[in-house]
Every structure is written in structure tokens, then in C-alpha cells.
Amino acid sequence: DTPFRSATPPPSPAPAPSPSPPPAEKPLLKTPLMDQPLMQQMRSAEFGYLVCFMSMHTYRQGFFLATLGPQVEAFFPDEATADFLQDLFNIALPLGFIPMLLCTVSGLTGFILPKPRLAFVAVTALSMLYGLLMLVHTQAAFISLFVVFPFASQFVFSIFYFNTADTFGYASFGRIAGVSSTLAGLVQLTQPGLVALVENNFFHPDLDAAANWKTVDLLLGVAPVLLFIYPVVSWVRERQSLARSKFAETAVVATLGHRRDYVYPGADQEMSVPEEGRQGPAQEAGMEEEGDISLHSLHFLERDAPFIEGGQPFM
């Protein structure tokens, strides 16, 4: 009989490696607008608002400069008074740099310009002021108007160029400023048509020219209120985002407070825990795991933290 020979068993296959858990997703951080391509910058809300801001203010300024003479003659029938006001405006217009110089020396300009929303709101309110002064047909009101208008006009361009460079960067500064100015210029092509409507008594056919000018002044005086929407809404959203981030941070700190291995900064002694309050190893491990999982809520902070363009605080 052939002796029984046991064959060597084949080696067992190596166990398949357990799939490693997927890496935790990192929060997507918003790319600064100045680091984005030009076309992406021109599709942003910041660029759209900048075009609306420039178009609104340059349109009103151009209309005011082109029609001040006819309006003064319509509002002040006395020829001597009308000539006096026109001559005074011709003197005050080139001196508009004086209020701007005083604001620069006092530090007011340096305080407002780095805060885009505050700057937009301030110059728009100033622009509405000189627009509404056109509705008060007295010499004192028009003299005040001649002081406010040159200052507001220079402030508009200062904010426009500063914000363009600070938001979009110097690499896109020339193209962004050029496209914005071109679009604002196209809007101003409608000014002759508006002047023609006023001269033909379109708004009040049965009244004189002064009533028609007053209607247009009222419309252009309140129109800049639309420019308040974007700064105010963005400011409210930022406040809400900061509130949510603060809430998440408080939740994380409260969770870490239950961890036995967490030491608060500045703690100089260990807290004594009563024997009956001590937890077993399994419970401690569960607390530690809970604390570690809660750390992922820090992603919420990074995701919802408001991004400040150019590293400058808003308002």
C-alpha cells in the first residue's frame, strides 16, 4: 500500500485591505476677486454695482452741469439774480478741491475710503443732498448747492478709482475702469432726449418750464436711493454670517469643555472631579469621539466667515 502523503495546503490568500475612509472634505474658501480672471471679475456683483454707481452719479452730474443755466433762469425770473448765481457757480466749481483737501488733512477721507460700503453710502447721501437742494428755489439753497456739488463730484471719482484698485487689483484696474466708464458714457447718451422732453413741456404741458424742471429734479434727486440697496443688504448678510459663526464657535467650545484632555488657555490648576462624577473608559472614549466630531463644525466657521476683499474691513 502506498503510504498516505498529505499535500501541503496552499497558502491562504492575503486578506483584502480594508478601504481607507475618504479624506475629510476641506471647506471651499472663496478666491479673492482680484485673483480671478478678468471675465469672472466682470460677472461679479461688485462690478455690476460699480457700473451702476458710476452711471448714476455721472449721469446726474452731467445733467446738472448741462442744464444749470436754463434751470436758474426758469426758477429766478429776476435777470440780475440769475446772472449772479451763474457767475457764482462758475467760481465755486473749480474750488471744489478745497473741501476735499480739508477732508484729506483731517483724516476723514482716509477713514472712509478703505470701507467701501460706508464710502458708497456717504457719497450717495451727499449726492442726494445737492439733488434735493435743487428743489428749494432760494438763493441760500443754491449757494449751498454750489458748495456741495463740486465736493460730491470729486468724492465720487475718488471712491470709484480707490475701490476699483482695492477690489479688482492693479492687474485689472485699467480694463475694469475703462469698461465701467464706457458703460456709464453710453448711459449719458440719453441726456439730450431728457432735456428735449423738459423743453417741450412733456411732463406738465399746461404749466411753465419751471414745473417741468422741478419734476425732473425730483426724479433725479431720489433716484440714487437705489444705490443704498447693495451696501445695506451686503452689510446685513455679513452681520448674519458673523452671528452664525459666533454661534458655531460657542458650540465647539461647549463641546470641548466636556473633554478630559482639553486644557483651556490660562488654566493654572486641574479641576477636581468627584468620584461619583467620573466616567468609565468607554464613556470617556465616547466623549472624546464626540468632541472630535464636533471639531468638524469648524468647517462651518471657515465656510460662512465673510470674505473681505483686499484684506480691508467693511463698515
Side-chain angles (χ1 to χ4, degrees), residues 50-206:
L50 199 64
V51 172
C52 294
F53 175 84
M54 196 63 175
S55 301
M56 176 73 73
H57 287 293
T58 55
Y59 187 92
R60 297 175 68 249
Q61 292 173 10
F63 185 84
F64 175 81
L65 292 173
T67 62
L68 179 63
Q71 291 197 62
V72 169
E73 294 174 357
F75 296 146
F76 298 94
D78 182 48
E79 185 176 353
T81 303
D83 292 340
F84 167 74
L85 291 176
Q86 295 184 53
D87 293 338
L88 183 61
F89 177 74
N90 293 333
I91 297 174
L93 183 61
L95 300 179
F97 72 93
I98 296 180
M100 196 69 184
L101 178 62
L102 295 177
C103 290
T104 303
V105 172
S106 64
L108 181 61
T109 303
F111 174 78
I112 293 179
L113 286 181
K115 300 175 175 60
R117 285 197 290 257
L118 178 60
F120 288 137
V121 169
V123 73
T124 300
L126 198 62
S127 178
M128 291 185 64
L129 176 61
Y130 81 73
L132 296 177
L133 284 173
M134 290 288 295
L135 302 176
V136 183
H137 304 151
T138 63
Q139 293 190 40
F142 270 67
I143 292 174
S144 302
L145 164 65
F146 297 160
V147 175
V148 175
F149 174 79
F151 172 59
S153 301
Q154 294 196 19
F155 209 8
V156 165
F157 288 96
S158 298
I159 292 175
F160 171 75
Y161 289 117
F162 182 91
N163 185 260
T164 300
D166 190 62
T167 303
F168 302 98
Y170 288 101
S172 304
F173 173 78
R175 289 170 289 182
I176 292 293
V179 173
S180 302
S181 301
T182 301
L183 294 176
L186 293 176
V187 174
Q188 293 190 57
L189 295 178
T190 61
Q191 284 185 10
L194 181 59
V195 174
L197 292 177
V198 176
E199 292 177 345
N200 294 328
N201 295 340
F202 174 80
F203 299 99
H204 302 285
D206 300 332

Side-chain angles (χ1 to χ4, degrees), residues 258-259 261 283-294:
H258 293 286
R259 294 183 57 175
D261 58 343
Q283 293 174 320
E284 288 185 353
M287 289 182 179
E288 182 175 357
E289 180 181 359
E290 179 183 357
D292 291 337
I293 294 176
S294 298

